[in-house]
Amino acid sequence: QKEVEQDPGPLSVPEGAIVSLNCTYSNSAFQYFMWYRQYSRKGPELLMYTYSSGNKEDGRFTAQVDKSSKYISLFIRDSQPSDSATYLCAKTRGGSYIPTFGRGTSLIVHP
Amino acid sequence: GAGVSQSPSNKVTEKGKDVELRCDPISGHTALYWYRQSLGQGLEFLIYFQGNSAPDKSGLPSDRFSAERTGGSVSTLTIQRTQQEDSAVYLCASSLKARAGTGELFFGEGSRLTVL
């Protein structure tokens, strides 16, 4: 089992929809969780990181961690065509500075 | 520039040739990472440098792969005797040491390697 599992999609939604992107993970040691966004032929860019369970909000984006079920989610409100990209979830393990990434989910927001 | 710079952006080589990929991290970032991204795959960790400490090479797939970081800044990833399965985008990232544990990495745009 990979340490971070993510459905590759693609996920296609209409503009204005609420998008839910999800990952599951193994290994429950102390860790941080991250969401990165990657546009085509570009490097990933960090959207958000969180440590504790619960929600963290930044503008239209909300990251949610459920440590009891080992589930991490990213919600995008009022999705825009410019949100069309691949979204990568990642986490670090306790004592490690090396993030482990999921395969990424391709999101398409159509006008 | 303010971001992580990688060169070349594209490299086409013949099987069996050696290639060198360069990464210039953000000034002041002591942590430097190399990842590989194959088509439809996630980011595969290759190697991690932190200041003057010995690098973590645990992700290098074979002894054909090596990397160095000179003066705590620029890094070069070398692939010897390239194989077709080495075709991928090689991504470099840097981070402040204090933020590296939180996963706050800044990525370059990658070097796209094609081995014919």
Side-chain angles (χ1 to χ4, degrees):
Chain A
Q1 180 188 12
K2 294 191 71 172
E3 197 163 339
V4 181
E5 299 277 4
Q6 191 174 9
D7 188 327
L11 176 63
S12 182
V13 301
E15 183 175 357
I18 296 174
V19 176
S20 173
L21 302 167
N22 306 295
C23 287
T24 58
Y25 66 92
S26 59
N27 189 335
S28 298
F30 159 83
Q31 57 209 333
Y32 283 87
F33 304 91
M34 296 78 71
W35 283 97
Y36 280 80
R37 177 176 62 195
Q38 185 176 24
Y39 291 114
S40 180
R41 294 186 171 264
K42 299 291 186 181
E45 58 177 327
L46 180 68
L47 282 176
M48 304 175 72
Y49 74 87
T50 184
Y51 170 64
S52 60
S53 290
N55 295 349
K56 182 177 182 180
E57 189 173 320
D58 184 0
R60 295 186 296 111
F61 298 89
T62 300
Q64 185 176 78
V65 177
D66 184 343
K67 288 189 173 181
S68 61
S69 59
K70 298 183 182 178
Y71 210 76
I72 51 179
S73 302
L74 179 70
F75 299 96
I76 307 174
R77 291 183 299 280
D78 187 25
S79 56
Q80 303 295 309
S82 58
D83 294 328
S84 299
T86 296
Y87 290 80
L88 299 151
C89 61
K91 72 181 210 36
T92 56
R93 282 180 284 125
S96 171
Y97 290 82
I98 301 169
T100 300
F101 286 82
R103 292 174 59 189
T105 298
S106 175
L107 172 66
I108 302 167
V109 181
H110 52 86
Chain B
V4 176
S5 179
Q6 291 189 246
S7 61
S9 55
N10 282 285
K11 176 71 176 180
V12 180
T13 191
E14 294 180 347
K15 177 181 174 181
K17 300 285 190 183
D18 297 352
V19 297
E20 286 189 351
L21 307 176
R22 175 188 167 104
C23 173
D24 201 342
I26 293 172
S27 177
H29 283 193
T30 58
L32 187 146
Y33 305 74
W34 283 98
Y35 283 84
R36 177 169 72 174
Q37 187 173 34
S38 302
L39 188 64
Q41 301 299 312
L43 273 65
E44 175 189 5
F45 165 71
L46 297 176
I47 189 167
Y48 164 65
F49 296 89
Q50 175 56 266
N52 295 320
S53 303
D56 183 331
K57 305 179 182 180
S58 61
L60 295 178
S62 76
D63 58 9
R64 295 186 297 106
F65 289 73
S66 63
E68 63 177 19
R69 188 178 185 190
T70 54
S73 182
V74 172
S75 176
T76 302
L77 177 69
T78 301
I79 309 172
Q80 296 178 309
R81 305 181 302 281
T82 52
Q83 304 294 312
Q84 288 182 330
E85 60 263 29
D86 299 334
S87 296
V89 176
Y90 289 82
L91 290 160
C92 176
S94 69
S95 180
L96 289 169
K97 179 181 180 181
R99 310 303 295 174
T102 63
E104 290 186 270
L105 274 57
F106 294 82
F107 282 86
E109 297 204 342
S111 292
R112 183 175 298 273
L113 175 65
T114 303
V115 182
L116 301 177

